Amino acid sequence: MAGKRIRSIGVLTGGGDCPGLNAVIRAVVKTAVNRHGLEVWGVQDGYLGLIENRMDRMGFNDVSNILTVGGTILGTSNVANPFRYAVQSGRQIQYRDLSNDCLRVLADREIDALICIGGDGTMATAAQFAQKGLTIMGVPKTIDNDLYGTDVTFGFDTAVRTATEAIDKVHTTASSHHRVMIVEVMGRYAGWIALYAGVAGGADVILIPEVPYDLGKVCEYVVERSRRGKRFSIVVAAEGAKAKDGQMVISKRVAGSPDPIRLGGIGPVLAEQIGGRTGLDCRAVILGHIQRGGTPTPHDRTLATNFGFTALELLMKGVKNHLVVLKNGRFSSIPLRLVAGRIRTVPRNHSLVRAALAVNTSFGT
Ligand code: F6P
């Protein structure tokens, strides 16, 4: 496909849903049709739609009124990997490589390039397709904000707002009942949501996967607060947070998923442990998928629109097999192969970590 003029594109959304996906789809479709006169195919349910040959032509009418709507009108899947597709065979799961079938589906429909909107898993698969000759442009999505190569992903700002509002609400119960309230937020291997929402919500303790905590230190900190007359504490914990000598809390394993581990439950575990050790009254709240829902913030709508527009502009200029990124305030792109298999975690010397420490927030160390 190298060097071939692009006349028709496909667009898909992969991985977990996230506020702003529709804003990207809208920008991609409108820019493609309006500025470049392209044919656009909307692939349903991420890579599953490629595997099952499910896609529809898209025009202006299909993307009107979706800018403010959460989720994705195309549907998504975080279990369908065309290179390792799980097929149930009796009681066993067998894995099949269906990537060539997907390429055939695209060729039959004369689709010249694919816009893949997704996180690390989606980009890893996109990079594999690129190696097989497909022209790809990636757009960085995830509430976790952990995609390598970009300073920010769309969806993160909305998730932080949702989590911050939840922390604000929990504050009143904490202070009225003199409790330790633990708010568990998403973030498997990166604690960006916990860090930003924790600082914004004035959390006393922030626990992130990058900084394994010492339970004794967390308990000392909340007890010391109550000694000083602060009879409540707020602990914000990323779902991937773990004790120095402990493990992440796994809620379930999803067979066939590229990353089969689903986390969840560190909040209740901490409530039990802190309550047991300190005698303080503790409660946990797990925010879960609430963080992935709702209307995107203005920041995420504009970021998503810029990402979608930039993806099309770069593709039509001949850039291929790249991920659109925002780096130091500038929209550009980097090769997909640099992104695949890597994530962006919170550096221990990040300015917000230092600011949090300066205002006496504990990271449990
Ligand atoms: O990667 C996004 C994310 O929301 C993670 O923060 C979370 O651990 C995971 O997806 C949940 O996945 P699922 O929707 O399959 O439960």
Side-chain angles (χ1 to χ4, degrees):
M1 256 174 223
K4 193 180 157 202
R5 199 176 140 218
I6 291 170
R7 292 195 175 84
S8 174
I9 61 166
V11 54
L12 64 79
T13 52
D17 74 330
C18 160
L21 281 167
N22 284 327
V24 181
I25 297 168
R26 171 180 174 271
V28 164
V29 173
K30 289 198 168 187
T31 307
V33 173
N34 209 19
R35 271 175 66 80
H36 303 290
L38 303 182
E39 184 177 87
V40 183
W41 291 85
V43 181
Q44 290 167 27
D45 301 335
Y47 292 119
L48 191 60
L50 275 191
I51 293 167
E52 296 176 349
N53 195 2
R54 289 188 286 112
M55 56 193 81
D56 298 299
R57 288 281 303 273
M58 294 185 87
F60 261 57
N61 284 348
D62 301 302
V63 293
S64 91
N65 262 329
I66 64 168
L67 176 65
T68 62
V69 182
T72 160
I73 59 165
L74 292 175
T76 187
S77 163
N78 60 3
V79 293
N81 177 358
F83 290 84
R84 202 168 179 269
Y85 187 60
V87 184
Q88 191 81 36
S89 164
R91 294 175 120 221
Q92 296 216 312
I93 290 183
Q94 288 184 344
Y95 294 95
R96 293 204 188 131
D97 181 352
L98 301 179
S99 56
N100 286 334
D101 304 73
C102 295
L103 292 177
R104 214 164 301 124
V105 161
L106 292 169
D108 286 350
R109 293 185 189 261
E110 299 185 337
I111 295 173
D112 305 311
L114 200 57
I115 307 282
C116 297
I117 311 167
D120 51 346
T122 306
M123 293 314 144
T125 301
Q128 283 180 281
F129 272 127
Q131 276 193 343
K132 289 197 129 195
L134 186 61
T135 297
I136 303 259
M137 188 59 73
V139 179
K141 164 243 70 160
T142 167
I143 64 162
D144 296 351
N145 200 30
D146 61 355
L147 209 53
Y148 182 82
T150 184
D151 288 343
V152 68
T153 56
F154 69 88
F156 172 64
D157 187 62
T158 309
V160 167
R161 177 173 290 190
T162 301
T164 304
E165 283 171 4
I167 296 165
D168 291 348
K169 286 186 174 149
V170 154
H171 240 110
T172 53
T173 302
S175 68
S176 306
H177 286 264
H178 318 300
R179 281 180 181 160
V180 178
M181 296 293 296
I182 294 116
V183 182
E184 177 181 321
V185 299
M186 279 186 167
R188 285 177 293 186
Y189 310 113
W192 294 107
I193 298 177
L195 176 64
Y196 274 75
V199 171
D204 304 296
V205 181
I206 298 174
L207 303 177
I208 59 176
E210 295 86 342
V211 185
Y213 61 85
D214 178 334
L215 183 64
K217 291 270 166 55
V218 175
C219 293
E220 264 170 41
Y221 189 90
V222 294
V223 167
E224 175 56 25
R225 264 178 63 80
S226 53
R227 265 198 218 112
R228 280 191 283 119
K230 295 282 182 194
R231 295 174 62 204
F232 72 94
S233 289
I234 305 283
V235 178
V236 174
E239 62 184 347
K242 55 178 185 296
K244 269 182 180 153
D245 48 0
Q247 304 284 328
M248 293 192 300
V249 179
I250 294 172
S251 69
K252 66 171 180 169
R253 289 172 200 272
V254 181
S257 175
D259 184 354
I261 289 169
R262 295 294 180 275
L263 300 179
I266 182 71
V269 167
L270 282 166
E272 194 68 31
Q273 292 176 335
I274 298 171
R277 282 204 185 195
T278 64
L280 294 168
D281 197 13
C282 300
R283 295 286 189 281
V285 183
I286 302 178
L287 299 188
H289 292 85
I290 288 170
Q291 296 157 96
R292 295 229 303 251
T295 184
T297 58
H299 175 272
D300 276 338
R301 294 179 206 179
T302 51
L303 183 62
T305 302
N306 256 320
F307 274 148
F309 161 72
T310 307
L312 251 290
E313 292 304 288
L314 291 176
L315 188 67
M316 297 313 284
K317 277 188 188 145
V319 179
K320 62 178 194 172
N321 306 336
H322 271 213
L323 173 75
V324 177
V325 297
L326 180 64
K327 203 82 195 141
N328 303 321
R330 229 187 110 247
F331 288 94
S332 59
S333 69
I334 59 168
L336 274 174
R337 67 184 150 71
L338 297 184
V339 179
R342 299 165 98 168
I343 60 163
R344 193 176 71 95
T345 53
V346 177
R348 278 182 180 239
N349 65 348
H350 188 274
S351 60
L352 197 55
V353 172
R354 288 191 283 125
L357 287 168
V359 298
N360 213 26
T361 308
S362 166
F363 284 82
T365 56

